Amino acid sequence: MQEPEPGQQEIETDAARRRRRAQFLRELNEAKALRDRVQPRRARAARMRQQMRMRTFRW
């Protein structure tokens, strides 16, 4: 069995990794949206905490 050249394999794994990451982020956003619809009060509190975190973050 022949393995692809190291450079070619790296490109393919990078593309696959990007696809997996994009899929994961899509699913994560869907899950957050679903949670916001199901638990509006908790979601609002989470948004407020996130805003406070961003306000107190120093660059």
Side-chain angles (χ1 to χ4, degrees), residues 18-34:
R18 287 174 188 266
R19 272 195 305 276
R20 282 196 316 272
R21 183 173 186 274
Q23 178 69 26
F24 170 75
L25 292 175
R26 274 195 302 273
E27 290 175 358
L28 183 64
N29 284 333
E30 284 179 22
K32 284 182 180 178
L34 178 64

Side-chain angles (χ1 to χ4, degrees), residues 35-47:
R35 188 177 61 196
D36 288 354
R37 283 196 308 271
V38 173
Q39 302 173 333
R41 183 180 295 159
R42 189 174 293 174
R44 182 172 184 269
R47 260 196 321 275

